[in-house]
Amino acid sequence: MSITIKTPDEVAGMRIAGRLASEVLDMLTAHVKPGVTTDQLDKLCYEHIVNVQGAIPAPLNYAPPGYIPYPKSICTSVNHQVCHGIPNDRVLKNGDIVNIDITVIKDGWHGDTSRMFIVGEGSIAAKRLCTLTYEAMWKGIVKVKPGARLGDIGHAIQSFAEGQGFSIVREFCGHGIGRKFHEEPQVLHYGRPNTLEELVPGMMFTIEPMINAGRREIRELGDGWTIVTKDRSLSAQWEHTVLVTDTGYEVMTLSAGSPEIPAFAQPAAASAPSTAPAPATIAP
Ligand code: MF3
Ligand code: CO
Ligand code: CO
């Protein structure tokens, strides 16, 4: 299989799936607080996706080659867990950080997005990791336009994150997405400018950097899914599903509750009035 190019009709389907995935995170936000278990969050998501959205939680029973079927509807990765954390009876406590990764299928289309949540009051180090990982994702997103290459995205993320003293997980990457959960291409979160596949309008893929406060090495837990940092340092991740448009990018996975987009990624205020003071007039 090669990279699929989405038609305008197909993009419309992806827009709906993407917004729904993001709205699951909006719904969940008020529930992520000390005392809740990740199983309770999973249940809330299942009910919302199935009964309110009329959609399907893509992770449930998902079984790529070499994996046992994933047993839950969402991924909840806490503290030094990097990704694919399986919800269980773990109680979230003050100061924990948790990535919640939602993928829904609506009318056959997949929307895939994740955010970091700080449970109660986070440490300065935890907040810094979460904020800078969010910015790292956007450093990659703003590179998306026709003629750019996948290596430009990876390089932007890597140079930003490593510049802050963090490390990039290499074993997992973003991915093409559409009628299938994981399609070509692989979107690495590290790399060199002007390398790899050239971006073409209609390509659709996720950007989802996993960034560690310590070393980049990871290992898998015995449950066959959960990935953790080897040095047990904190890890953060954010994810959006992004379309290559004729002029740049469109993010599919936005909704009313999406966090504010960093200033460097805001569209330029082309016709905004100048904020410079008007020149003083001098009487002749
Ligand atoms: N949502 C994850 C991603 O961003 C994949 C999770 S696979 C699962 O690609 F089975 F763990 F849900
Ligand atoms: Co993904
Ligand atoms: Co995801």
Side-chain angles (χ1 to χ4, degrees), residues 134-135 138-139 142 249 260-269:
Y134 182 61
E135 291 182 18
W138 277 101
K139 290 282 178 187
V142 298
Y249 64 85
E260 192 184 339
I261 296 168
F264 66 78
Q266 300 275 359

Side-chain angles (χ1 to χ4, degrees), residues 231-247:
D231 66 5
R232 302 186 65 86
S233 65
L234 286 181
S235 187
Q237 178 180 29
W238 292 79
E239 175 175 24
H240 270 314
T241 297
V242 179
L243 167 74
V244 184
T245 66
D246 290 338
T247 54

